[in-house]
Amino acid sequence: MKIEAENINFLDTIEAAQSVEELEQARVGLLGKKGEVTHLLRSLGQMNDEERKLKSPQYNKLKQTLEEAIKEKREVLVNREIENRMDSEWLDITQDSREINTGLIHPVSRVTEEIVSIFSDLGFSVAEGPQIESDWYNFDSLNIPPDHPARQEFDTFYINPGDDNGNDSISPNVLRTHTSPVQVRFMENHGAPCRIIAPGRVYRSDYDLTHTPMFHQIEGLVVGEDISMSNLKWVLIEFCKAFFELESIDLRFRASHFPFTEPSAEVDIRCSWVENSLVVGKGDDWMEILGSGMVHPNVLEAAKVDSNKFQGFAFGMGIDRLAMLKYGMPDLRSFFENDMRWLKHYGFAVEKTSNLYDKLSG
Ligand code: DAH
């Protein structure tokens, strides 16, 4: 009787298991090394013959019953766990996929790419220079000596004096105020002839609707043995037609002055204001878009290029300004404020950029 009662007790323990893990715990508790039933079976050794004869079949039967019950219960639990998993991991493959949110291309990156592609087609390669520049490359080498008034016009950010080793006796370092120093660095390293553009960040202490302390310029330089102002004109006209996507374009080359070019010209593009927005290509107004000229012999010599043998032309333009003109963005400051609403409005989808490449290479 006692055994039967225990039997029922043991079976209850098995029945109560809610998971394969709990069942295993129950099994160990009953039939494991230190389990209750194992303990009963061991106790047979201490019994006299008569008692053992009586108990042994009961205990073994009990063990067998429990083993069978555990096996059955395990099947039930394993199946239930599989069903639960199938329920919880159910996947609706007919549901619409979630919209993929890719970032947008910033107008400055996009316009830089556009400009670089156009000049690449004209045979220019891309050069780069440091943003922390020595006073020598930013000014002196470009024919702007220390007492030259043009230094005042630049609103320069000066930083710690000295070269990389901190012992330059000539000059402090500056955040470059223009991309023109790349001209000198490139000629010094590669000599002449050359045909390069140099896009990058430049810095001036200035802040209003059309000025930010950091902005972007692109510099152009062509040096050879037979380079003239008419080459400069042709390149700039071709560039403007391609950039503004116009069949023909009206540019005005206006005499100007830069220390690093002689003669120098500023270039204006014909435009008009229609309902407060700017239309490039037609109208009675002019908008200045770049500075240019024939490279001053002093600049060639500073870069160790023989100015009796070589001449060149150079130009520099504001990338952000070109972006504002082409895509009608009124305030330069918003370019760099990281306002998501502005970025979403003026940013370019990635596909559009690749279409541009197709168009330009096709
Ligand atoms: N460096 C000039 C500036 O930042 C722009 C410029 C004018 C660059 C004439 C040139 C050039 O290469 O020939 O205002």
Side-chain angles (χ1 to χ4, degrees), residues 113-155:
E113 279 175 20
E114 288 180 27
I115 299 174
V116 167
S117 331
I118 294 167
F119 280 109
S120 302
D121 284 354
L122 293 171
F124 286 70
S125 44
V126 176
E128 278 182 322
Q131 293 176 40
I132 296 174
E133 191 51 285
S134 74
D135 196 65
W136 159 260
Y137 282 110
N138 196 77
F139 295 123
D140 300 58
S141 71
L142 291 163
N143 202 29
I144 315 176
D147 51 358
H148 197 285
R151 287 213 181 194
Q152 262 72 59
E153 288 163 23
F154 274 113
D155 303 312

Side-chain angles (χ1 to χ4, degrees), residues 7 38 43 88 102 105 107 143 161 164 172 175 200 209 213 243 246 258 284 297 299 324 334 342-343 361:
N7 198 342
T38 313
S43 70
S88 65
T102 50
I105 310 271
N143 202 29
D164 291 347
L175 290 180
L209 204 68
F243 181 75
L246 294 168
F258 300 104
D284 296 327
V299 176
M324 289 169 83
S334 44
W342 188 89
L343 293 169
S361 59

